[in-house]
């Protein structure tokens, strides 16, 4: 296991993956208590079709490990990418039952849903929950950006712009420079979309 972690830390994925597999192979009864970490390692480092089934197995066997959060996020993204948003909903609902204060995973789910324009009502539910749980103004602003993106995907451009303005107001332009620029650009996107929508409705297309 020490060798596996060493290779993983030095970005040698093939050797790390092989070492994690040997941990499981050489100690099938898990007498050394290293199987939990090894299975998660195999799941994260695999790049073939077995990755997701391995992570699913790791979550079922060892749901309380720290790596469970990352595994859940990977599987949520996979479910959206493979056009199975309902599976992602069931996963986040299960996760929320055992991790009711995990705002970062709630926000991750909401953003993935928005990016895929899927299950947007559920995305809004979790975006709101993540905002309520945010421990700092900068994190709250980031979560509000997710809410704004969900509104945008729902066609509510003016509401999205208002939420983004409120998010920007929470930031220090100097201290939070990168996020400030990102959210400002997001607001511009919403404003442009809102303007185009208004022009279209009034019969005056925006050239």
């Amino acid at each position: 296991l020490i060798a596996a972690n060493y290779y993983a830390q030095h970005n040698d994925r093939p050797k790390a993956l092989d070492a994690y597999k040997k941990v499981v192979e050489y100690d099938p009864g898990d007498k050394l208590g290293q199987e939990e970490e090894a299975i998660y390692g195999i799941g994260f480092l695999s790049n073939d079709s077995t990755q997701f089934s391995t992570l699913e197995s790791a979550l079922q066997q060892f749901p309380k490990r720290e790596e469970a959060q990352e595994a859940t996020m990977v599987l949520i993204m996979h479910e959206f990418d493979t056009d199975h948003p309902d599976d992602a909903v069931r996963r986040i609902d299960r996760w929320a039952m055992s991790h009711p204060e995990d705002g970062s995973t709630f926000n991750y789910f909401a953003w993935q849903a928005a990016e895929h324009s899927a299950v947007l009502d559920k995305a809004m539910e979790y975006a709101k929950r993540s905002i309520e749980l945010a421990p700092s103004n900068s994190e709250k602003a980031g979560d509000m950006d997710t809410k704004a993106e969900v509104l945008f995907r729902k066609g509510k451009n003016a509401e999205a712009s208002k939420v983004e303005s409120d998010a920007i107001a929470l930031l220090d332009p100097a201290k939070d420079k990168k996020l400030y620029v990102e959210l400002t650009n997001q607001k511009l996107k919403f404003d442009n979309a809102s303007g185009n929508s208004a022009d279209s409705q009034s019969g005056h297309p925006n050239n």
Side-chain angles (χ1 to χ4, degrees):
L1 187 61
I2 293 175
N5 290 332
Y6 173 84
Y7 291 133
Q9 290 169 5
H10 289 78
N11 297 316
D12 192 333
R13 293 174 64 94
K15 288 185 178 179
L17 179 59
D18 184 61
Y20 281 127
K21 287 181 177 179
K22 286 180 178 177
V23 170
V24 177
E25 179 185 351
Y26 294 161
D27 186 17
D30 194 27
K31 295 179 181 179
L32 298 177
Q34 298 178 338
E35 183 180 11
E36 298 182 21
E37 184 176 350
I39 289 180
Y40 275 106
I42 293 169
F44 291 132
L45 292 172
S46 297
N47 56 10
D48 56 20
S49 60
T50 65
Q51 177 182 33
F52 306 109
S53 60
T54 301
L55 288 176
E56 190 72 70
S57 177
L59 276 172
Q60 291 176 2
Q61 294 181 67
F62 313 112
K64 295 184 179 181
R65 279 195 67 87
E66 181 180 349
E67 296 94 329
Q69 182 192 47
E70 183 180 353
T72 295
M73 290 182 177
V74 170
L75 289 168
I76 285 173
M77 181 174 66
H78 173 65
E79 285 156 351
F80 277 116
D81 286 347
T82 55
D83 199 25
H84 291 89
D86 290 340
D87 290 342
V89 169
R90 284 189 284 272
R91 185 175 302 282
I92 193 63
D93 284 345
R94 289 196 304 270
W95 184 260
M97 289 180 66
S98 55
H99 302 81
E101 297 185 359
D102 185 4
S104 60
T105 303
F106 298 162
N107 181 69
Y108 183 82
F109 167 83
W111 183 260
Q112 287 294 324
E115 286 282 279
H116 290 81
S117 295
V119 291
L120 294 177
D121 288 341
K122 182 63 74 167
M124 180 60 69
E125 174 188 329
Y126 279 103
K128 290 178 179 178
R129 288 183 66 173
S130 69
I131 292 169
E132 293 173 357
L133 292 165
S136 67
N137 279 349
S138 61
E139 290 185 61
K140 185 174 183 178
D143 293 347
M144 290 172 71
D145 173 55
T146 299
K147 179 182 176 181
E149 184 68 25
V150 174
L151 287 167
F152 173 68
R153 299 290 177 139
K154 290 167 72 73
K156 299 181 178 181
N157 304 324
E159 290 184 49
S161 180
K162 174 62 169 63
V163 171
E164 202 73 24
S165 292
D166 292 342
I168 292 170
L170 294 174
L171 299 175
D172 181 329
K175 181 180 177 182
D176 306 307
K177 184 177 181 180
K178 182 179 179 180
L179 185 58
Y180 186 89
V181 170
E182 290 175 355
L183 268 58
T184 299
N185 289 335
Q186 277 281 83
K187 185 179 184 304
L188 180 61
K189 178 180 76 172
F190 303 148
D191 288 343
N192 287 339
S194 183
N196 290 338
S197 176
D199 288 340
S200 176
Q201 292 174 8
S202 66
H204 298 288
N206 184 16
N207 295 319

